[in-house]
Amino acid sequence: MTTPAVPEIAVEDPDQMRALGARLAPLLRAGDLIILDGPLGAGKTVFVQGLAAGLGVCSPVTSPTFVLARVHTDGRLPLVHVDAYRLGGATEVDDLDLDADLGRSVCAVEWGSGLVEQMAAAHLRVEISRPSGDETGDVRRVRLRPAGADWAARLTALATPDLTPHPQGPAAR
């Protein structure tokens, strides 16, 4: 069982969700696997938009729901953005050949729990939820759960409550 290196973070709107993703981006390395969990509309793609902005990706980042995977190569590291919602199991994930790209890129997988953990020795799980009783509001709760390697140590850089967009983030565009 893993424990969070960063306490639950309240994110009040999509701009703050993008800012949180952008703050994580400088900590990323080739081979990193990020698994995003949360209900439909929680902000998983918005978080990946922030990651992409923080990596310097200039191409639009949209949900890969219908194409399953999008590859963005115009940033500091290639970003492979996957939506595993429609995948039926690990065999279908294997058919995407994501492990071929993982060694030289960052792979962010929405709906990937139980399907992609075996792709890497370590991963970061990003759990996004709404506060109990607030299924329609903008406020989200985000927990970053490191699994293996040095994720816990890397996440200490995010331990401050300031989630304002940084100059390299989406607000600078």
Side-chain angles (χ1 to χ4, degrees), residues 118-133:
Q118 76 285 353
M119 285 177 39
H123 64 271
L124 177 66
R125 186 177 313 279
V126 178
E127 298 172 351
I128 305 171
S129 62
R130 291 185 172 102
S132 182

Side-chain angles (χ1 to χ4, degrees), residues 9-145:
I9 301 166
V11 176
E12 296 182 6
D13 58 36
D15 288 336
Q16 283 190 353
M17 186 67 77
R18 283 185 197 93
L20 180 59
R23 286 189 51 205
L24 179 63
L27 307 177
L28 297 177
R29 303 176 190 145
D32 282 344
L33 173 62
I34 300 168
I35 302 170
L36 296 110
D37 285 332
L40 194 62
K44 295 178 293 293
T45 298
V46 173
F47 183 88
V48 176
Q49 289 171 345
L51 278 178
L55 289 171
V57 171
C58 294
S59 56
V61 175
T62 58
S63 175
T65 298
F66 297 104
V67 295
L68 302 180
R70 295 184 192 279
V71 180
H72 303 275
T73 58
D74 56 339
R76 175 176 67 82
L77 292 167
L79 174 64
V80 179
H81 182 197
V82 179
D83 188 325
Y85 182 77
R86 297 186 307 133
L87 299 180
T91 302
E92 289 184 21
V93 171
D94 287 343
D95 289 344
L96 292 177
D97 259 348
L98 297 176
D99 52 348
D101 291 323
L102 188 58
R104 62 182 180 273
S105 62
V106 171
C107 190
V109 183
E110 298 184 30
W111 305 98
S113 286
L115 296 173
V116 299
E117 289 87 351
Q118 76 285 353
M119 285 177 39
H123 64 271
L124 177 66
R125 186 177 313 279
V126 178
E127 298 172 351
I128 305 171
S129 62
R130 291 185 172 102
S132 182
D134 185 17
E135 280 67 38
T136 59
D138 283 341
V139 175
R140 304 290 194 267
R141 303 284 182 214
V142 180
R143 291 193 84 98
L144 303 174
R145 297 192 184 268

